[in-house]
Amino acid sequence: MPLLALARLLAAPIGDVDIFWQLRLGDLMLDSHRPVTREPFAATHWGEALVPLSALAQIILAGVRRLGGWPAVQIVDALAWTGGFVAVGLAARARGARPVRLALALVLCLLMAMPFAGVRPQSFAVLGLGALILLLGRELPLRLTLLAGAAVLVLWQNLHPSVSLAAAYLGARAAAGWLRHRTGRRTAPPWAETLLLPLAGLAMVATPAGLAVFYMATLNARMSTAMGATEWLSVLDPQNRPFLPILLILNGGVLALLGVVRRELDLEALAGALVFLLMALIAGRFVLFWALALVPVLAAGRHDSGPIDRLAPLLFVAGAGVIALAASVRPGPRFAPDLPIAAVDRLAASGLAGTVYASYPFGGVIADRGFPRLRVAFDGRYYRYGMDEWDLCRAAMAGQVPVSALVARYRPVAWLLSPGMDRPLIEALRTQPQAWREVPGDPAAVLFVPAGAGSGRAYTPAFTSQSWNSRTGRLSSARGRQTNQ
């Protein structure tokens, strides 16, 4: 089943808009040999402090891209994601799960998790949780478990700042284990989970971000929720309604399988998985981790392992190698059709330098393929911009902000707009052919450049301290001095 998931991931086009700026940050770190701590992309925040998050994943994926291009990036990401499910499958077999039952568990859980897969550093978090569950399932000597666990937790946090998930999982397992121990239903105390819990807490700050990771995690969650990012909304939220029927059907299968294995349940593993179910009721993105942690629960058993357990890792490696090789040479587009790759490449080759006012999902592509000549007014990092800026962005999308006001604030050298999101703004720019010329050629985006572009003229933007007042529907008066970049 993980091999089928791997093939499915590698067949899908790259569609995550944030992976582009992530890889450009990785490039900058590879070139400078240090974390990026100053904002390099956002025009109105250029040079401000930047907390480095997922730095290790960004470096790895940027290095992989240099070696093998985007196909290699997609392969490494997919291997990390499916590797998490291979790990929990091995953990289940280490505890005696029957192959048929394990296969059913993997089918249910992979179907539940696939909608939340994408080329992004979060794939390393899937691998991290899978490795942690495998480590606990192997029941190694305590000292070895703690040493290996500490390494997994620190690497996980540097790859993706989500070791708080490990802390929640370990805490739930430890609580259930101590309860069973105190009631005489478990012989040995749950020392592994108990001692790994504070190590998870220490791992949270064992990155270049340090203590700032807590502020950034809170800010990102708050801003993502405020902006209506579907993965940060509850699975019961109306915006996630299209996913709800399939989730209910799959979780019905989960309940049925739990009924089958009820006499062999690993209650500690079940307690850890239930933490992610509760999280998913708050934010849908945690369905992925609920599905991952469920595999050893649903595949519970008390049966001896066989030769297949020694061969399974080798079979997966061989199969993954064949699939990855086929994916690396497959023809056809590598990117989703709604990404403005052609338009950004044309813009980057135009010689223009300065700020591009773009639909915020397009900002990551510009940051990657247009750096360093082009900067962005907005991108997909909700935490990078204040709510007053997002109010301005949404008002501009609705056609409520004059083009002249946006020009006064951002001094754009080009506009790259979504036909679906920015129709009113596109129509407003089309009424000003004396100032802006539309450049055709990319169905994913509408590109405008200065009417005189091509004469060799280029300029860098000037920014004012004006902000959008959502109550008055106007830009506030400028305060403070104007800053020229």
Side-chain angles (χ1 to χ4, degrees):
M1 284 307 299
L3 286 176
L4 291 177
L6 178 65
R8 173 66 182 87
L9 291 175
L10 292 178
I14 297 171
D16 189 276
V17 298
D18 291 329
I19 190 62
F20 294 90
W21 61 259
Q22 299 261 16
L23 264 64
R24 179 53 61 184
L25 284 178
D27 282 331
L28 294 176
M29 286 184 278
L30 286 172
D31 292 337
S32 65
H33 308 290
R34 66 187 65 182
V36 178
T37 57
R38 294 291 170 183
E39 173 59 45
F41 307 134
T44 51
H45 296 274
W46 189 83
E48 293 180 4
L50 179 69
V51 178
L53 302 172
S54 300
L56 183 56
Q58 292 163 359
I59 291 171
I60 290 173
L61 293 177
V64 166
R65 183 171 65 167
R66 291 185 178 188
L67 293 173
W70 280 103
V73 171
Q74 195 171 18
I75 289 169
V76 169
D77 176 90
L79 286 172
W81 195 91
T82 53
F85 282 90
V86 171
V88 294
L90 293 174
R93 284 297 290 164
R95 301 296 295 269
R98 292 177 176 175
V100 173
R101 191 178 291 174
L102 176 57
L104 287 174
L106 284 169
V107 168
L108 282 171
C109 294
L110 282 167
L111 288 174
M112 201 184 311
M114 285 299 291
F116 300 91
V119 181
R120 55 200 298 197
Q122 181 177 268
S123 298
F124 290 106
V126 177
L127 180 61
L129 180 59
L132 181 64
I133 291 173
L134 175 58
L135 187 62
L136 295 172
R138 299 292 294 180
E139 297 183 347
L140 300 172
L142 181 60
R143 180 177 297 180
L144 182 57
T145 299
L146 294 178
L147 287 173
V152 167
L153 293 168
V154 171
L155 282 172
W156 175 353
Q157 183 71 357
N158 281 272
L159 289 163
H160 188 264
S162 54
V163 161
S164 54
L165 298 178
Y169 181 78
L170 290 166
R173 284 188 60 128
W178 282 109
L179 179 62
R180 292 182 66 231
H181 179 66
R182 294 293 298 271
T183 56
R185 298 178 183 178
R186 173 176 172 149
T187 304
W191 287 119
E193 292 90 339
T194 303
L195 296 177
L196 281 172
L197 181 57
L199 292 180
L202 292 173
M204 290 183 203
V205 297
T207 76
L211 293 171
V213 70
F214 297 113
Y215 169 74
M216 290 302 300
T218 303
L219 177 63
N220 184 48
R222 185 173 73 248
M223 294 300 294
S224 297
T225 303
M227 289 296 293
T230 53
E231 69 173 7
W232 281 97
L233 302 177
S234 168
V235 292
L236 304 177
D237 189 273
Q239 290 194 49
N240 285 321
R241 192 168 294 161
F243 301 103
L244 196 56
I246 186 63
L247 285 178
L248 290 176
I249 292 171
L250 292 172
N251 279 286
V254 167
L255 289 175
L257 197 50
L258 282 174
V260 172
V261 302
R262 64 187 182 278
R263 298 183 184 277
E264 300 173 302
L265 274 178
D266 182 338
L267 295 179
E268 285 86 346
L270 177 61
L274 286 174
V275 167
F276 297 128
L277 176 61
L278 294 175
M279 289 182 177
L281 296 176
I282 300 172
R285 69 199 312 258
F286 297 114
V287 168
L288 171 58
F289 300 97
W290 157 244
L292 184 67
L294 263 180
V295 172
V297 177
L298 298 179
R302 299 280 193 276
H303 306 279
D304 294 333
S305 61
I308 189 65
D309 297 286
R310 293 185 290 274
L311 291 175
L314 295 176
L315 291 173
F316 176 78
V317 170
V322 172
I323 293 170
L325 180 61
S328 66
V329 298
R330 73 174 172 89
R334 184 66 59 174
F335 301 104
D338 58 350
L339 291 177
I341 304 298
V344 173
D345 287 348
R346 187 177 297 112
L347 182 58
S350 69
L352 292 170
T355 301
V356 180
Y357 188 97
S359 296
Y360 68 86
F362 296 166
V365 182
I366 298 168
D368 180 35
R369 304 175 86 90
F371 184 87
R373 295 179 64 86
L374 300 176
R375 297 179 189 161
V376 297
F378 293 97
D379 60 77
R381 296 173 296 168
Y382 296 134
Y383 57 83
R384 175 74 279 179
Y385 308 91
M387 278 310 304
D388 60 330
E389 293 175 280
W390 286 118
D391 287 341
L392 171 60
C393 176
R394 289 187 286 198
M397 290 164 58
Q400 298 170 359
V401 182
V403 171
S404 58
L406 296 174
V407 170
R409 178 173 174 82
Y410 295 103
R411 296 298 296 272
V413 298
W415 308 74
L416 188 67
L417 305 174
S418 165
M421 297 173 60
D422 300 298
R423 177 58 57 184
L425 184 52
I426 291 170
E427 296 303 326
L429 286 165
R430 283 173 174 165
T431 65
Q432 302 182 18
Q434 74 285 358
W436 302 102
R437 175 171 60 88
E438 185 173 346
V439 181
D442 190 338
V446 179
L447 172 63
F448 292 91
V449 298
S455 61
R457 182 188 63 174
Y459 60 94
T460 53
F463 307 112
T464 73
S465 59
Q466 291 176 312
S467 60
W468 178 254
N469 189 318
S470 58
R471 289 181 297 176
T472 63
R474 305 181 68 176
L475 285 168
S476 66
S477 300
R479 296 180 180 178
R481 64 183 182 86
Q482 182 169 293
T483 303
N484 291 298
Q485 300 295 333

